[in-house]
Amino acid sequence: AQKITQTQPGMFVQEKEAVTLDCTYDTSDQSYGLFWYKQPSSGEMIFLIYQGSYDEQNATEGRYSLNFQKARKSANLVISASQLGDSAMYFCAMREPGGYQKVTFGIGTKLQVIP
Amino acid sequence: DGGITQSPKYLFRKEGQNVTLSCEQNLNHDAMYWYRQDPGQGLRLIYYSQIVNDFQKGDIAEGYSVSREKKESFPLTVTSAQKNPTAFYLCASRRTGPQNTEAFFGQGTRLTVV
């Protein structure tokens, strides 16, 4: 069963607008971590933001914020004031519960910022 | 500078041959990971290791093997049993402990079967 679900294969956003990328996850455990990564066309993976399952506040890093709704098992990424350089693939990932430090990724969302 | 080094960047393999992808990190991270990336399928976990001399199968381990003899190194062998090995391979590492930390990635190896 898929642990991380990203249902938006592609998204468009106008420059300077905000955009939300969806991510839902599946776990019955209480302790886990959620991550978002950006992958430009160059292929490198860039860490954006992290949310722990016990964190009471939504994580924020500059223009990135994570809308964490634990009861709905969703961890959506919000990018404010989009820039052309934000055009990339975006991946949601989860550090699964358990002692083996397993980290699994979703299939990603391709974001294109339009001038 | 600290980081993760994958080599080579591009690799060509003939059908029926085994090939080993290198991954070295000097971040003193305990956990290391191998992912395979295909278009439209995101990153799929092949193998991961929490500590030296221990590793776990990920979601698509068939046709692959790994070793973890040193903390710094986690090589991946793509064997001839892997039916469709052409893909982009990413290695990652992360610090473990009470605080969750992000994974740091190498630049990737693009493997092509010719």
Side-chain angles (χ1 to χ4, degrees):
Chain A
Q2 253 185 326
K3 295 296 180 78
I4 295 283
T5 303
Q6 295 181 255
T7 58
Q8 305 156 311
M11 292 280 287
F12 290 91
V13 64
Q14 203 78 35
E15 195 177 6
K16 299 180 185 176
E17 297 291 312
V19 63
T20 297
L21 307 183
D22 294 341
C23 173
T24 57
Y25 58 92
D26 180 27
T27 181
S28 56
D29 211 299
Q30 296 301 309
S31 176
Y32 51 89
L34 297 157
F35 308 84
W36 276 92
Y37 283 83
K38 170 184 178 181
Q39 187 181 43
S41 57
S42 59
E44 63 184 309
M45 294 289 287
I46 301 168
F47 166 72
L48 296 178
I49 197 166
Y50 165 78
Q51 180 83 43
S53 58
Y54 292 117
D55 294 342
E56 295 183 354
Q57 304 243 349
N58 286 344
T60 60
E61 288 287 347
R63 294 187 298 111
Y64 304 107
S65 60
L66 201 152
N67 184 0
F68 181 47
Q69 298 188 44
K70 196 170 181 177
R72 297 180 60 186
K73 295 185 180 179
S74 74
N76 299 338
L77 177 71
V78 180
I79 305 174
S80 62
S82 297
Q83 302 171 356
L84 295 178
D86 293 336
S87 294
M89 285 292 293
Y90 288 81
F91 294 98
C92 180
M94 179 171 68
R95 197 276 295 165
E96 295 188 18
Y100 289 109
Q101 306 292 329
K102 185 177 184 182
V103 178
T104 53
F105 283 74
I107 64 171
T109 295
K110 184 173 183 178
L111 177 67
Q112 296 186 61
V113 180
I114 306 166
Chain B
D1 284 7
I4 301 178
T5 302
Q6 288 187 245
S7 60
K9 190 172 181 180
Y10 298 96
L11 189 56
F12 296 89
R13 189 195 93 171
K14 291 183 180 179
E15 283 194 30
Q17 284 183 339
N18 292 356
V19 64
T20 298
L21 282 59
S22 170
C23 179
E24 304 276 333
Q25 55 100 357
N26 60 4
L27 300 167
N28 199 32
H29 287 170
D30 287 308
M32 296 188 74
Y33 306 81
W34 274 106
Y35 295 91
R36 170 182 171 141
Q37 186 175 19
D38 298 280
Q41 297 200 50
L43 276 68
R44 292 185 290 167
L45 183 62
I46 305 172
Y47 269 98
Y48 58 110
S49 168
Q50 187 184 210
I51 56 173
V52 174
N53 292 324
D54 185 47
F55 47 83
Q56 309 296 322
K57 290 184 179 180
D59 301 313
I60 56 164
E62 186 175 350
Y64 299 96
S65 66
V66 293
S67 63
R68 187 87 188 275
E69 297 176 1
K70 298 187 301 181
K71 188 175 186 179
E72 303 79 18
S73 179
F74 192 41
L76 173 75
T77 296
V78 184
T79 74
S80 57
Q82 171 48 236
K83 301 296 183 199
N84 183 21
T86 294
F88 188 53
Y89 291 86
L90 284 160
C91 178
S93 72
R94 56 186 288 272
R95 184 165 44 89
T96 60
Q99 297 289 330
N100 279 298
T101 60
E102 73 271 25
F104 291 80
F105 282 83
Q107 295 297 306
T109 292
R110 192 165 296 279
L111 174 63
T112 303
V113 173
V114 297

